[in-house]
Amino acid sequence: DIIELLSKANDVPVIVVLNVRNDSLIDFVLSDLTELEFKFERKSYWKDAFSGNITQDGINKLTNNPNIKRIYLNRRGHIL
């Protein structure tokens, strides 16, 4: 859980999914976050999501944003 991890770390890796596919909307949402709140990594190919590391302040901003559909913990898989 993102909130639980943020209680133990300054930031956590997430994927932020928008309500619509729109590259300009991604830029608009990102413009509301400071570099301290969200360290941008990349936009999705389908232009409906972006990823990076987020802080508690960043989560607070995005959970109140009506353009956000969902925020997932970005778990990286490893092949053994």
Side-chain angles (χ1 to χ4, degrees), residues 2-80:
I2 295 170
I3 301 301
E4 182 181 330
L5 288 174
L6 282 170
S7 70
K8 301 173 187 172
N10 290 334
D11 59 19
V12 295
V14 294
I15 299 170
V16 179
V17 182
L18 302 178
N19 289 324
V20 296
R21 291 182 179 174
N22 184 323
D23 198 39
S24 297
L25 184 56
I26 291 174
D27 294 335
F28 177 74
V29 170
L30 287 170
S31 72
D32 191 39
L33 298 165
T34 68
E35 289 183 25
L36 294 175
E37 296 167 334
F38 189 82
K39 294 178 182 108
F40 175 75
E41 191 174 302
R42 69 175 57 110
K43 293 180 185 179
S44 78
Y45 175 78
W46 295 277
K47 299 181 182 179
D48 66 341
F50 58 92
S51 63
N53 282 26
I54 198 162
T55 64
Q56 183 65 55
D57 289 339
I59 282 287
N60 293 343
K61 279 188 180 179
L62 291 185
T63 54
N64 294 319
N65 188 320
N67 297 304
I68 304 302
K69 182 176 183 178
R70 181 100 189 216
I71 303 171
Y72 296 97
L73 186 60
N74 190 358
R75 299 181 188 265
R76 301 194 194 302
H78 298 282
I79 299 173
L80 300 176

